[in-house]
Amino acid sequence: MSEKEAHGKTSNQALQSGVRKLEFSNDTAFQNELRRRVDEYFQATGRPERGNWEMYVKTAVILGGFVASYVLLVFVARTLWQGLLFAIALALCTAAIGFNIQHDGGHRAYSNRRWGNRLAAWALDLIGGSSGRWRWKHTVIHHKYVNITGYDTDIAISPLGRFSPHQTRRWWHRWQHLYLWAFYGLLAIKMQ
């Protein structure tokens, strides 16, 4: 199989069929320097590395907004405009759960305790996704193969979008900065 054909395969297909095994350099200088600077930042500021009161307030606001939006949509909305307003609020809160609570828990940034991070990561399951699938797809695959076409499943959204110069360019991609937001809202369906 040619390299061009390999680039056309999805990440899962490429990984499963073993199209091309990627070997990474053992040079860890960049990673070591980055870790040193991060550690230095936390020592200089005195901020905790995982979880802080601001994160927990943000969690309470998001979950409170989620519950309030749902209750208002189901029990209070009487007009189309009220329904649309509460539905949009619910959608934004749902996205905030995934992008904030679940993501922080999935990356073990929510708490120093394993159960605290797991509980936060399970927020994705609360909104209909799969925290186990997310962990595999994002933490294992995406973070190992960041933006590498044919391996990183987070950039494999062809033909709707193009996130890499190694992906086929279509005429409509010049407008993806406008339309992808609407399709991104449907990502929850894919996660289910």
Side-chain angles (χ1 to χ4, degrees):
M1 174 176 288
S2 73
E3 186 170 329
K4 184 177 180 181
E5 290 171 325
H7 280 297
K9 288 187 167 249
T10 65
S11 301
N12 288 337
Q13 290 171 325
L15 290 172
Q16 290 172 359
S17 66
V19 170
R20 178 181 51 175
K21 184 175 180 187
L22 293 179
E23 296 292 333
F24 297 104
S25 168
N26 289 330
D27 182 8
T28 60
F30 174 77
Q31 186 175 5
N32 293 339
E33 177 63 16
L34 181 62
R35 172 53 45 202
R36 185 191 67 74
R37 290 183 187 187
V38 168
D39 290 341
E40 187 177 274
Y41 167 80
F42 284 117
Q43 288 175 352
T45 63
R47 295 179 62 90
E49 286 187 41
R50 291 181 174 82
N52 56 39
W53 70 269
E54 295 101 337
M55 181 182 285
Y56 302 137
V57 168
K58 176 180 72 172
T59 299
V61 168
I62 291 170
L63 292 177
F66 179 79
V67 171
S69 299
Y70 179 81
V71 168
L72 291 168
L73 178 62
V74 173
F75 299 109
V76 175
R78 298 286 178 244
T79 67
L80 175 64
W81 296 110
Q82 289 174 337
L84 286 174
L85 178 68
F86 298 145
I88 290 169
L90 181 62
L92 291 173
C93 290
T94 301
I97 287 172
F99 283 118
N100 292 275
I101 302 168
Q102 182 276 326
H103 189 265
D104 292 343
H107 280 297
R108 299 183 193 135
Y110 202 83
S111 172
N112 286 325
R113 293 180 171 72
R114 186 175 181 191
W115 66 265
N117 288 316
R118 281 195 165 173
L119 186 63
W122 286 338
L124 185 60
D125 299 276
L126 170 74
I127 59 174
S130 169
S131 57
R133 182 171 187 263
W134 180 89
R135 182 190 165 281
W136 177 255
K137 189 176 177 314
H138 182 78
T139 307
V140 175
I141 295 175
H142 170 68
H143 280 272
K144 184 172 183 176
Y145 302 107
V146 177
N147 298 335
I148 300 175
T149 303
Y151 292 88
D152 183 355
T153 58
D154 283 1
I155 66 167
I157 63 164
S158 183
L160 294 177
R162 180 176 183 254
F163 290 157
S164 165
H166 302 289
Q167 295 171 328
T168 303
R169 184 178 177 93
R170 309 279 187 208
W171 66 267
W172 57 83
H173 291 155
R174 76 182 308 205
W175 306 107
Q176 73 181 19
H177 65 286
L178 299 173
Y179 68 79
L180 272 184
W181 296 104
F183 287 112
Y184 202 66
L186 301 174
L187 185 61
I189 296 169
K190 183 179 178 185
M191 300 279 304
Q192 295 171 352

